[in-house]
Every structure is written in structure tokens, then in C-alpha cells.
Amino acid sequence: MGIKDQFQEKSQELKDKAQKAQQGAKDESSERARQLDEKKPGPTQPAPSAHD
């Protein structure tokens, strides 16, 4: 395996890791927002889906 291949493989690995971390952060923030909405008195609106 050449150096170029190693860099491309590592680049793809880091890209995938970053995308997973970003998705996890979105899921966590939407869950926190949902929990805050449940605690508010009065009518609540469902949060828009971040998975469109």
C-alpha cells in the first residue's frame, strides 16, 4: 500500500468519524430541546425533525 493510499484511507476514516460525531451532537441537542419543551407549562409545539 502506497503512502497516497494510506492518506486517503485515513482521510476517509476521519471524515466518517466527524460525521458520526456531528450526528450524535444533533441527536443530543434535539433531545435536550424536547426535554425542555416538556418542562414548559402551556401548549407546546413538536420540534421540527432534524432528519429531513
Side-chain angles (χ1 to χ4, degrees):
M1 185 184 295
I3 292 176
K4 183 178 178 182
D5 293 331
Q6 290 177 348
F7 277 109
Q8 286 178 335
E9 187 176 309
K10 187 65 173 179
S11 171
Q12 186 63 45
E13 182 183 319
L14 292 173
K15 182 180 173 184
D16 292 344
K17 187 175 180 180
Q19 285 177 338
K20 287 179 184 178
Q22 188 176 34
Q23 185 60 45
K26 283 183 184 177
D27 292 345
E28 185 179 327
S29 65
S30 63
E31 177 64 20
R32 286 184 184 176
R34 186 186 63 78
Q35 289 176 355
L36 286 174
D37 284 344
E38 287 176 357
K39 292 180 183 178
K40 289 181 186 174
T44 59
Q45 297 177 352
S49 176
H51 302 288
D52 291 337

